[in-house]
Amino acid sequence: MRTKMVAGNWKMNKTLQEGVALVDELKEQLKGIEPKCEVVIATPFIHLATVAQMIEGTCIRLAAENCADKASGAYTGEVSAAMVRSTGAQYCIIGHSERRQYYHEDYDILREKVQLALANGLKPIFCIGEVKEEREANIHEQVVKDQLEGSLFNLSAEEFGKITLAYEPVWAIGTGLTATPQQAQAMHAYIRKTVAEKYGKQVADDTTILYGGSCNAKNAAELFSNPDVDGGLIGGASLKAPDFATIIAAR
Ligand code: PGA
C-alpha cells in the first residue's frame, strides 16, 4: 500500500512569527482529526528549525521548498541539503514549476538536487507538469515523461522508492483553474505507467503521486477519490489552517 499524503507548500509567504502562528493554528485544527495520511508542511528555510521543534510528537512532518544543487562551499545565499536535514526536516520539494520558470532550474540542476537530497537523508517531493501551451498542443504526456527521464530515471529502483511525485499542471497553479478529476486521473495513470516501464509494476504501484494546482477545501475530496491520485500538494489553501485541515480530512 502506497503512502497517502497531503503536503502544504507555503512558498514565499509568512514571516517567522506568522509562520509560528500558522503552525500553532494547524496543530489546534488537527487535534480532533486522526489523519489517515502523511501530513507535511513545506516552509521557507528560515522557519524550518523553529517549526521542527514545534511539531515534535505530532503527526506533522516538515519539508523545505528547495535545496542547493551543490554540497557545500562558496555559494553565497544557498542552503544545502545537509543544512536542511540538520533542521529536522525530512522532505524537500524539488523541481517546483516556479523554480524551473523563475530560477531556470533545468533537468541537470534538478538531477543534482535530487541526488544531494537523497544522499543527505531527505525524501524529495519532485514536481512535474506541463504549461498551458503544451496541453493545448496535446504534448503534455511527453513533457512530463521528459521531466521524469531528465531528472529522475538515472536513480536506482531503491533510490526512486524514496521519491514522492507531484503532478502540478502549471496552468492550474495559483490560477483557480483546477484540473478536472478526469484530467488528473488520466495523467496520474500515465505517470504510473511510465514509472512501471522504467522500474517495474511494484515500484510504480508503491509510488505516491500527488496532485497540485488550485486544490482546495471544496474540490479536494473529488480529486482524491481517483485511484491514482494519492493526495495533494497544496499552495494557497495551505496558508489557512481550517482549509488545510479540511483537505487533510478529505484524504
Ligand atoms: P496552489 O499551488 O495550490 O496555490 O495552486 C500549488 C503549488 O504550487 O504547489
Side-chain angles (χ1 to χ4, degrees):
M1 264 296 275
R2 54 183 174 261
T3 307
K4 309 290 182 192
M5 183 190 291
V6 171
N9 174 12
W10 289 7
K11 309 194 179 186
M12 197 173 73
N13 293 295
K14 305 288 176 191
T15 63
L16 179 57
Q17 292 74 19
E18 290 165 349
V20 164
L22 179 56
V23 172
D24 270 333
E25 224 191 311
L26 183 61
K27 279 164 63 177
E28 202 53 44
Q29 290 282 336
L30 292 183
K31 263 189 189 147
I33 309 174
E34 282 265 307
K36 290 195 275 309
C37 62
E38 182 100 331
V39 175
V40 179
I41 50 176
T43 77
F45 294 129
I46 64 122
H47 298 74
L48 291 174
T50 307
V51 172
Q53 289 185 359
M54 292 180 72
I55 60 177
E56 255 177 47
T58 74
C59 66
I60 305 170
R61 302 286 172 263
L62 187 59
E65 299 174 13
N66 182 28
C67 68
D69 62 335
K70 304 285 192 298
S72 67
Y75 301 101
T76 303
E78 288 294 297
V79 175
S80 72
M83 292 172 187
V84 169
R85 185 71 189 100
S86 74
T87 66
Q90 294 129 319
Y91 291 91
C92 187
I93 296 178
I94 296 177
H96 192 281
S97 63
E98 288 149 17
R99 302 291 322 168
R100 292 178 193 259
Q101 184 183 351
Y102 304 137
Y103 302 98
H104 313 295
E105 295 189 359
D106 60 19
Y107 295 169
D108 297 340
I109 290 174
L110 296 176
R111 196 167 56 236
E112 292 299 321
K113 291 188 178 202
V114 168
Q115 295 278 10
L116 285 162
L118 289 172
N120 286 283
L122 288 170
K123 291 183 269 188
I125 299 173
F126 192 82
C127 304
I128 53 181
E130 81 286 355
V131 300
K132 184 162 154 277
E133 293 73 24
E134 291 163 340
R135 179 158 283 264
E136 283 168 357
N138 204 28
I139 56 168
H140 45 289
E141 290 188 345
Q142 188 59 47
V143 168
V144 162
K145 187 175 190 189
D146 289 348
Q147 290 170 339
L148 290 169
E149 286 177 344
S151 303
L152 294 183
F153 280 4
N154 59 304
L155 298 175
S156 69
E158 196 197 334
E159 289 169 327
F160 191 85
K162 303 200 171 79
I163 307 278
T164 298
L165 295 175
Y167 169 58
E168 300 206 302
V170 181
W171 46 270
I173 296 178
T175 57
L177 279 177
T178 318
T180 64
Q182 293 74 21
Q183 284 172 325
Q185 169 56 28
M187 183 56 106
H188 283 228
Y190 173 77
I191 292 167
R192 203 175 300 287
K193 177 169 117 335
T194 305
V195 172
E197 280 163 11
K198 171 72 186 171
Y199 292 108
K201 185 171 183 310
Q202 190 59 53
V203 171
D205 282 347
D206 290 345
T207 301
T208 299
I209 309 176
L210 309 179
Y211 169 80
S214 299
C215 182
N216 58 40
K218 289 209 175 73
N219 61 26
E222 199 185 356
L223 284 161
F224 297 168
S225 69
N226 289 289
D228 287 294
V229 179
D230 303 312
L233 180 56
I234 318 298
S238 75
L239 297 172
K240 296 185 205 105
D243 286 18
F244 193 51
T246 302
I247 297 169
I248 291 164
R251 176 69 278 182

